[in-house]
Amino acid sequence: MTDGARHPLFLPLIVAGGLTFGFGLGLSGMARPEVVLSFLQLWDLGLLFVMGGAVAVVAPVVFFASRSGRAAPLSGRRYGRRLKSMDSNVLAGGVLFGVGWGLSGICPGAAYASLGIGNLPILWGITGMFIGAYGQGVLRSLSPGRAKERTIAD
């Protein structure tokens, strides 16, 4: 692939992945905040099995692909890990993510899938996520000496 060029199937496969992800969340019940809240209160451990099943499927693929030394066929980028040290931002971000997860009863990906099952009040939570992420970006840009991290769009 040439610099920055992606395979024509790249975006359609991203959509197909999103459709599969959303269907799976809906089918497993994980797009319902009350199910997620039951998990967080340790009453219903179904989410643990859904997450475990997902990890069991994707972990071997990522493990072998990242060690192959090859480029991904659709993006042309070499497989690899993003190394991130455990710092105060990771810890604080994790705590804030957990508080938001507990308050809303849903994680970000499942929030979008929740719209598909008719949970329109989740739009308030999604709006909060956008505002929170935007606010964090503004604070980061005002912080002197902060290195800008690369995103998938780079």
Side-chain angles (χ1 to χ4, degrees), residues 82 84 87-90 92-94 96-97 127-144 146-149 151:
R82 175 184 167 258
K84 173 76 170 144
D87 61 9
S88 61
N89 288 338
V90 172
L96 290 171
F97 176 85
T127 301
M129 282 189 269
F130 277 110
I131 294 169
Y134 180 79
Q136 185 279 331
V138 168
L139 286 175
R140 182 173 292 245
S141 70
L142 297 175
S143 239
R146 296 295 292 221
K148 303 242 181 206
E149 293 184 20
T151 64

Side-chain angles (χ1 to χ4, degrees), residues 29-52:
M30 296 305 135
R32 294 178 32 224
E34 59 273 14
V35 172
V36 176
L37 287 171
S38 289
F39 166 74
L40 292 175
Q41 296 170 36
L42 302 177
W43 292 338
D44 178 357
L45 298 180
L47 178 59
L48 189 62
F49 294 110
V50 171
M51 292 171 82

